[in-house]
Every structure is written in C-alpha cells, then in structure tokens.
Amino acid sequence: MSRASKADAQANRAAAVKAASRLFREQGVPNVSVGDVMRSVGLTQGGFYKQFASKAALVDEAVHLGFIDMLRYLSDLQDGSADHAAAWSSLLDTYLSVEHRDDPGAGCPAAGFAGDVAHDPRPRETYAAGVREMAGWIAPGNAGLAALSTIVGGLLLARATAGTEVSEEILGAVREAASPPAD
C-alpha cells in the first residue's frame, strides 16, 4: 500500500470517528448505524470493517474524541480568561444556553453520551476518564464532580423539556446556582 493510501485511510478513519461522535450525540448510539456514519463521510459500510473492529470500538473512539474536543475548548476558555473564575463563568454562559441545549451533536460529551453509556457499559471507562478530566478542570475533587454533575444534569433536563417554558427556566436556574468553583 502506498504512503498516500495509508494517509487516506487515516484521514477516512478520523472523519468517521468525528462524524460518529456528532451523530451519536445527536441521535443516540442505538439510532445510528454503521452505514449512517460511513454515508455521512462519503464512504461505504464495507470500508468500516477495514478501519474498526466493531461498532462498539467506534463508539469508544467517538466518546474519547468528544472529550478531547471538550477539554480543548476548556483549555481555550482558560487561556482567554483573566482567571479560572472568569473561565468558569464563560463556560456557564455557553454551556447553559439555548444554543447548546439545541445542538447536542456539537455539545458536551458528558451530556451527549450519558444515556447511551448508562445502557451499554463498553465505553464506560473512556467516558469516566473524560468526566474526571472535565471535573478536574472545574475544581479539584468532589467540588468539580458536583459542579459538573449540576450543569450536565441541568442541560439534560433542559433538553428533555425543550419547547416548554420550564426548559429555559432550568437553564437560568442552574446558571444562577452554579457559583464559580473555589481555586
């Protein structure tokens, strides 16, 4: 196989993982087939098995990529803020927004994959590692876990009630209740 073919294969794999991460968060893992993922990047379903051992392996990589992207976003927030409290405040404004509520495919992997991972433990270790890293960005120890749980829970409830008056009330209430973490 030529060098260009290996590069193409790597690019195709990366595109499939990126598309899967988005599609799985938008529609849920059980509702997205291997064929759906591959079609979304212009590839055949047969090509999938040259790249991945199984759909479960793809799910694990998609979860991992979602957290990598989220942690990059958090790092960028930190770099663009005067201090961590300002970065946390910026996160709350975007995380607990109508736009984030309505765009799960581009949104937080902790919220986007929560239900699927609860029902299928195969990507659980990858998910747990991502949750721990996100919580660690927020604050050390239990404070970070509690704050992350609060905003993820608020986002999930807002998504579940989207289209009703209570949805935006939830976003506002959680934004107000989530104080900047202690440094």
Side-chain angles (χ1 to χ4, degrees):
M1 191 175 265
S2 72
R3 185 172 170 95
S5 294
K6 286 181 183 177
D8 288 345
Q10 288 176 334
N12 290 341
R13 180 185 182 87
V17 173
K18 183 177 180 178
S21 187
R22 178 182 47 79
L23 289 168
F24 292 156
R25 283 181 276 170
E26 281 175 359
Q27 300 172 33
V29 172
N31 300 319
V32 177
S33 70
V34 165
D36 294 334
V37 171
M38 298 307 278
R39 273 190 301 281
S40 76
V41 293
L43 300 171
T44 65
Q45 186 170 341
F48 173 85
Y49 294 101
K50 293 177 186 172
Q51 298 286 339
F52 303 95
S54 63
K55 182 179 178 183
L58 175 61
V59 171
D60 193 67
E61 288 190 42
V63 169
H64 182 70
L65 178 62
F67 279 105
I68 286 172
D69 290 345
M70 185 65 176
L71 292 166
R72 187 177 302 120
Y73 172 74
L74 295 175
S75 178
D76 290 347
L77 272 181
Q78 185 69 44
D79 291 346
S81 295
D83 59 28
H84 190 69
W88 171 247
S89 183
S90 291
L91 175 64
L92 291 178
D93 287 343
T94 58
Y95 196 96
L96 297 165
S97 68
V98 170
E99 294 78 18
H100 186 219
R101 178 198 66 195
D102 294 344
D103 191 10
C108 176
F113 288 110
D116 291 320
V117 172
H119 295 293
D120 181 356
R122 290 177 285 188
R124 195 163 287 160
E125 289 298 321
T126 301
Y127 182 85
V131 164
R132 186 165 302 285
E133 286 188 67
M134 278 186 71
W137 179 88
I138 295 169
N142 287 341
L145 288 170
L148 179 61
S149 298
T150 300
I151 65 172
V152 169
L155 181 62
L156 289 172
L157 288 173
R159 285 180 177 165
T161 58
T164 71
E165 195 174 285
V166 76
S167 180
E168 290 186 38
E169 290 175 20
I170 291 167
L171 293 172
V174 174
R175 194 178 314 108
E176 184 178 311
S179 61
D183 286 331

